Amino acid sequence: MTMKILSIDGGGIRGIIPGQILVSLENKLKTKTNNDNARLSDFFDLFAGTSTGAILSAAYVMPDVNANGRPKFTAQEAVNLYIDEGDEIFDVDFWQYLSSLNGLNDETYSAKALESILKHSFNDIKLSELLKPTCFVSYDIRSRQQVVFKQHTAGKQKPDFLVRDLLRGSSAAPTYFETAKIYSLPPMRKKHVLIDGGMVANDPTLCAYSEAIKFEHVSGIKDMLILSLGTGKELKSYSHSQVKDWGPLGWAKPSIDIALEGGPQMTQYHMKQIASTETNAVYRRIQPDLFDAKPDLDDASIKNLKALKDAGIRNAEIYDEVLNEIADLLIQNDN
């Protein structure tokens, strides 16, 4: 039996791009199975995500309380959370602008809009109530430990959490949003002080791989199918003369940029090495092109939201062969 894994990077508002690519994959699954109700959660066994990738992944496995275990959101409805609400999440009101000195003295954005949207979308659903196993990555700055939120152990060996709380923690990007303090649900009361998981694992594929091999029927990469999606990249180069005199303020956002882009490069390197040990290993990494979209994590202008959606659609066309291959393998291994 093959463990089918979907992994999505962090990347702020750029999550629209992999979200739109997955709309195409879900549509292929509907067509190939002749089932208009087919959903990504029907075919993947483990969902991994960091930051914006965690939000998307959680949406795919969010149960509809009125539909007897079926997912609440289609892939299109999941990405629409960003397209419809992105400008609210990344909106700087006048007082926030003044108090933060335009992001120099405090976080650039208030987390109130993000928290409101997460509450509206995920209500009071617990991590343990999600439809499939998960690996959602965050980092606890109090204990200085990575935190991986797992549906399949929550409320059993490990504490349980409200989904909206852990997603707030996974997406608490330094300089963008305030650090998140969250608590697990009774009876195992545990506190976390969280920042964005992208600081330690912006591409969570290795986390998912490490978790998958713990399952009874999985003995290695040969027993997995992995689809890993990036959020688009534009690697900015820095010259020695440019950075040599930078202090903490100068390095603040470049450090985040390097962590968010350098981490996935290392993860892809390691995953390729692991996959190379088996002739028929299925590890597919899609790092989409931004095309006309801005690389900024927080550019939620109407113009850029449209550009991000268009980039997702264009990338789905470019990677059509890969998506067809994945769809066929998902269906084949589901039978």
Side-chain angles (χ1 to χ4, degrees), residues 7 24 51-52 66 92-93 123 137 141 148 190 195 198 202 257 293 315 325:
S7 176
S24 177
S51 191
T52 196
N66 300 313
V92 184
D93 66 41
N123 303 308
V137 183
I141 58 172
V148 182
K190 185 175 180 62
I195 62 171
N202 202 44
D257 171 57
N315 277 288
E325 175 202 20

Side-chain angles (χ1 to χ4, degrees), residues 214-329:
K214 298 177 185 178
F215 283 74
E216 185 176 349
H217 62 280
V218 180
S219 60
I221 192 71
K222 66 182 179 65
D223 297 320
M224 301 180 198
L225 179 160
I226 302 174
L227 175 60
S228 172
L229 296 175
T231 60
K233 67 177 181 179
E234 183 175 287
L235 298 179
K236 183 177 180 180
S237 116
Y238 302 93
S239 68
H240 177 261
S241 61
Q242 180 184 4
V243 307
K244 64 184 180 69
D245 296 322
W246 278 358
L249 285 178
W251 274 108
K253 290 207 171 176
S255 295
I256 295 173
D257 171 57
I258 292 167
L260 294 182
E261 302 296 355
Q265 289 175 308
M266 285 302 300
T267 296
Q268 184 174 4
Y269 169 81
H270 288 302
M271 287 307 306
K272 282 184 174 180
Q273 296 302 306
I274 294 169
S276 71
T277 63
E278 293 289 341
T279 305
N280 297 318
V282 182
Y283 163 66
R284 301 291 181 266
R285 169 71 173 170
I286 294 177
Q287 181 58 279
D289 196 312
L290 289 168
F291 293 109
D292 298 323
K294 301 289 187 182
D296 309 72
L297 306 181
D298 58 343
D299 187 341
S301 63
I302 298 301
K303 179 180 179 182
N304 200 49
L305 290 173
K306 182 180 185 304
L308 288 164
K309 181 177 180 179
D310 290 344
I313 293 170
R314 290 177 68 182
N315 277 288
E317 294 169 352
I318 291 169
Y319 290 97
D320 185 69
E321 187 175 334
V322 174
L323 295 176
N324 269 318
E325 175 202 20
I326 292 295
D328 289 339
L329 289 170

Side-chain angles (χ1 to χ4, degrees), residues 159-161 182-191:
D160 207 353
F161 293 84
I182 74 168
Y183 294 88
S184 63
L185 299 168
M188 291 187 253
R189 195 71 168 166
K190 185 175 180 62
K191 179 172 81 172

